[in-house]
Amino acid sequence: MSAMTAVRAVKRVFAPENEEDGSGRKLRWTPGRIALLACALLLALLWVLPLAWALATSLKPENETTDTPLHWIGSEITFDAYRQVWASGDLTRWMLNTAYIASVTTVLTVVLSAMAAYGFSRTQFRGRKVLYGLVLAGIMVPPQVLIAPLFAEMVALNLVDTYWGVILPQVAVPAMVFILVKFFEAVPRELEEAAYVDGAGRWRVFWQIVMPLSRPVLSAVGIFTFIQTWNNFLWPFLVTTDPNGMTLPVGLVNVQSTYGVRYAQVMASVIIGGLPLLIVFVFFQRQIVRGVAHTGIAGQ
């Protein structure tokens, strides 16, 4: 739950009794509404406090980050940590690399997962249940188990220190296939049958009917994939040694390890790395909520 969600809850609860909500009903004080507000404020506080502490620490002079007792505000507000982090590495290149890798991975994941899920939900072929079972089994396999064989494969294909070496292993996501299968199974088959009667083929039905109907869940899958790829550290760290090809999380960690533990710079790195994702969430949180509601993830 974000702070914006908590603010909406506060506005609804503290609205006058004669104020109406979107459905025309009167908003009144009730124990349930008060309890919901308390939970929303508590969750929003738990979400905001670490981010606020990181921001406050990044604006302190370095020699005051470990003072005891701890205090939120330093003797002065300084942006030296941000300047030092930005000067210590090629953050612009790393951010562009991360944006490119995350964007391409997201597009490929959404398209390939949608095609696989549509095949599992709408076509009958020999070995379908076995193959779908293997896909579901992939959800239970920790990604760390696959690191050694994937790295050996990237070496054999000469994809180490390339964008595709980072992108391709992240494209196959069994969880996204499962989510889309559940959504496609809920799409009325009558719509597709009507298109077949009009002479449309399976590909045309998939691209022009099923995909437009699936925009909410596809948006959610795309946003989840983008966030996960942006934050991914371990695989890009292993498969990338060229500083010019590093992603933002890998580059920031290298900067921190080079100059030792400097808490103001560590927190500044956290803010720099997380700010783009925070912006994405603020602009697309409605699509995330709609996607979760349409896929039924909330009830799993």
Side-chain angles (χ1 to χ4, degrees):
M1 177 178 293
S2 66
M4 296 179 63
T5 306
V7 169
R8 295 193 190 100
V10 172
K11 290 182 178 179
R12 288 175 59 85
V13 173
F14 285 96
E17 289 192 0
N18 58 354
E19 185 177 344
E20 297 182 350
D21 60 13
S23 61
R25 295 174 298 180
K26 301 293 184 180
L27 296 177
R28 300 178 180 177
W29 285 87
T30 62
R33 189 179 297 278
I34 296 174
L36 180 62
L37 171 63
C39 292
L41 290 176
L42 177 61
L43 292 174
L45 185 64
L46 293 175
W47 183 85
V48 169
L49 272 179
L51 181 62
W53 179 257
L55 179 61
T57 304
S58 68
L59 297 176
K60 294 178 184 178
E62 185 62 45
N63 59 353
E64 297 182 15
T65 57
T66 56
D67 286 350
T68 54
L70 297 176
H71 52 276
W72 281 84
I73 306 299
S75 59
E76 61 175 331
I77 296 178
T78 175
F79 292 91
D80 288 343
Y82 291 92
R83 286 193 287 266
Q84 291 169 2
V85 170
W86 201 274
S88 300
D90 194 354
L91 261 68
T92 302
R93 178 183 292 275
W94 295 342
M95 195 169 294
L96 291 176
N97 290 342
T98 309
Y100 175 77
I101 291 172
S103 300
V104 175
T105 302
T106 299
V107 172
L108 291 178
T109 300
V110 170
V111 173
L112 296 179
S113 298
M115 293 171 62
Y118 185 72
F120 284 127
S121 64
R122 285 295 191 267
T123 60
Q124 298 294 330
F125 54 90
R126 182 175 298 178
R128 170 182 170 274
K129 293 183 179 180
V130 175
L131 187 58
Y132 185 53
L134 291 175
V135 172
L136 296 182
I139 300 177
M140 298 179 285
V141 177
Q144 294 78 7
V145 176
L146 303 176
I147 286 178
L150 283 176
F151 184 78
E153 185 177 359
M154 294 302 106
V155 172
L157 296 175
N158 293 323
L159 292 179
V160 176
D161 275 334
T162 65
Y163 287 135
W164 288 111
V166 181
I167 293 171
L168 291 179
Q170 301 185 77
V171 168
V173 187
M176 300 306 176
V177 176
F178 173 74
I179 292 172
L180 290 171
V181 166
K182 292 301 180 182
F183 180 85
F184 290 153
E185 289 177 349
V187 175
R189 294 178 180 267
E190 290 78 7
L191 297 175
E192 301 171 54
E193 293 172 356
Y196 291 142
V197 171
D198 290 339
R202 187 174 294 275
W203 276 105
R204 185 176 179 184
V205 169
F206 174 72
W207 288 109
Q208 297 187 2
I209 296 179
V210 177
M211 292 294 277
L213 290 174
S214 308
R215 285 177 183 173
V217 66
L218 293 177
S219 299
V221 168
I223 293 170
F224 293 148
T225 303
F226 186 88
I227 293 174
Q228 180 180 359
T229 307
W230 185 283
N231 286 329
N232 193 1
F233 166 77
L234 184 57
W235 177 250
F237 175 74
L238 293 174
V239 81
T240 304
T241 57
D242 183 6
N244 293 327
M246 288 182 177
T247 60
L248 186 60
V250 176
L252 290 175
V253 168
N254 285 337
V255 169
Q256 295 172 17
S257 61
T258 300
Y259 293 91
V261 179
R262 298 182 179 181
Y263 293 102
Q265 294 186 28
V266 170
M267 295 304 176
S269 302
V270 170
I271 297 298
I272 293 173
L275 186 60
L277 295 183
L278 184 62
I279 295 174
V280 169
F281 180 80
V282 168
F283 281 99
F284 295 100
Q285 64 173 328
R286 179 173 298 179
Q287 284 78 5
I288 295 176
V289 174
R290 288 179 60 191
V292 170
H294 280 78
T295 56
I297 300 176
Q300 296 294 328

